[in-house]
Structure formats: C-alpha cells, structure tokens
Amino acid sequence: MSEFWFNIRLAFKHVLDLNAYDHILFFVLLTLVYNANHWKRVLALVTIFTLGHTISMFLVSYDVVSVNRNLVEFLILVTILATGIYNVLTASKSPSNNKINIFYVVTLVFGIIHGLGFSSFFAMSGGFGSKILSIIGFSLGVEAAQILVVLIVFVISFIALTVLRFSKRDWVLVVSSIVIGMVIPMLIANKIW
C-alpha cells in the first residue's frame, strides 16, 4: 500500500513541478474558457483526460506501445498549441453543449498523448512494481493535481473577470496568447527536428 501512496505523491508533485510545466499550461488552456458554474463539465474533461493517460500508461507498461520520448514531448506541445489556438479562435463564444462530445473525444486523445509522456517519467522514477496499483495510484495523483490547477485557474479567472473587470473574450485571448508564445519556442527547440 505504501507503493500506492508513493505513486499518488509522485504524480501530484510531477504535475505541479514548475520545471515540467507543460501539463499546467495545458490545463490552464483547457479550463480558461469555463467558470465555476461549469464545474461538472470541467470535472468530466479532467477525468476523461486522466482516463486517456491511464490507458496509455497501461499500454506502455504491458509493452503494447513503445515510446519515442522526443516525439511524445513534441506531440504534448502540439496539444497545448492546438488548445491555445482553439481558444483564440473561439474567444468570443461561450462554451456550447452541442460541441461537448467532440471536446470529450479530443480530451481523451490528448490525455493518451500526455500519458505517453507520463509513462516515460514514471518508468524513470522506479517503474511499474505492481503495475495495476502503481498506475492507478499515479493516475489518482495526476487527477488530484489537475483538479488543484483547475481550482486555481477558476480563482484567478474570477478575480480577473470580476475584480479587474476584464472581458471574458480579452481574458481568454491574452492568457491563450501568452501560453502560445511560450509553447512555440519549445516546439522549435524540440529535438524532433
């Protein structure tokens, strides 16, 4: 059982590690267009993302898939860039219910991609002792950290929109553009080239 808790803490710390902030950037962008009134939808997206990365961690741990670390890191950055561009293009629209199914599918696919990155980190951190318990513990740690990031984004967005009186459109545009500006140099510097 201590291995289970170790993996929860390991994942929680990894997601919130400011030296590996790509995961945080993705969740900032994913959450940015919503507010606390959409908490059920956001929780569903977070959990679907976790399901995606859990699937890929199982696939890697049982040698169904092998991971090219540089390619995975590149694809993770592409998911962040794609989410940022989508936010910029739809900044003046509010999230609609009719597009939510496609968001679930895309979030699952992006979760699978991020999970390939997690599996590399996880293997380097001691690997898959008891595979099922380790992966479930790691996934629960990721889920908890993601929920914390979502709560922080909700609080900061609330302050920006109500106290500082940014328009929702401007807030989404500015934050998404900043993240895009951070990701493009990382994409260019990626060793896949």
Side-chain angles (χ1 to χ4, degrees):
M1 197 53 124
S2 64
E3 184 180 329
F4 180 76
W5 289 107
F6 169 80
N7 286 309
I8 289 175
R9 288 190 303 275
L10 177 69
F12 190 84
K13 288 179 183 177
H14 176 64
V15 170
L16 299 177
D17 182 358
L18 294 180
N19 294 318
Y21 57 88
D22 55 345
H23 200 73
I24 294 172
L25 293 178
F26 178 77
F27 267 88
V28 166
L29 292 175
L30 186 70
T31 308
L32 188 62
V33 298
Y34 300 103
N35 61 40
N37 294 333
H38 300 111
W39 71 270
K40 288 180 186 176
R41 185 182 305 176
V42 174
L43 182 60
L45 288 169
V46 169
T47 303
I48 288 169
F49 185 85
T50 301
L51 176 64
H53 76 71
T54 303
I55 289 168
S56 59
M57 288 182 72
F58 272 109
L59 292 174
V60 170
S61 71
Y62 287 99
D63 296 322
V64 176
V65 175
S66 63
V67 176
N68 176 327
R69 191 165 177 212
N70 290 337
L71 178 60
V72 169
E73 290 301 319
F74 178 79
L75 291 174
I76 289 170
L77 294 171
V78 168
T79 66
I80 298 167
L81 181 64
T83 306
I85 290 170
Y86 181 81
N87 284 357
V88 167
L89 295 175
T90 60
S92 29
K93 301 176 185 171
S94 54
S96 68
N97 288 331
N98 61 356
K99 293 182 185 173
I100 199 65
N101 291 335
I102 191 74
F103 287 150
Y104 290 154
V105 172
V106 170
T107 301
L108 179 68
V109 171
F110 285 5
I112 290 170
I113 293 168
H114 283 248
L116 294 172
F118 281 139
S119 63
S120 294
F121 169 78
F122 189 57
M124 290 186 314
S125 301
F128 303 95
S130 161
K131 289 182 185 182
I132 293 174
L133 262 174
S134 295
I135 293 171
I136 290 171
F138 195 84
S139 294
L140 289 173
V142 169
E143 179 84 353
Q146 291 170 169
I147 290 171
L148 179 61
V149 170
V150 166
L151 291 173
I152 292 168
V153 172
F154 278 167
V155 168
I156 293 171
S157 290
F158 177 80
I159 292 167
L161 298 173
T162 44
V163 176
L164 301 175
R165 300 206 183 267
F166 282 104
S167 74
K168 177 76 171 195
R169 177 188 163 278
D170 291 347
W171 178 243
V172 171
L173 281 173
V174 167
V175 175
S176 296
S177 297
I178 290 170
V179 173
I180 290 169
M182 294 170 72
V183 168
I184 289 174
M186 292 191 295
L187 274 167
I188 293 169
N190 190 282
K191 292 188 169 76
I192 197 170
W193 308 113

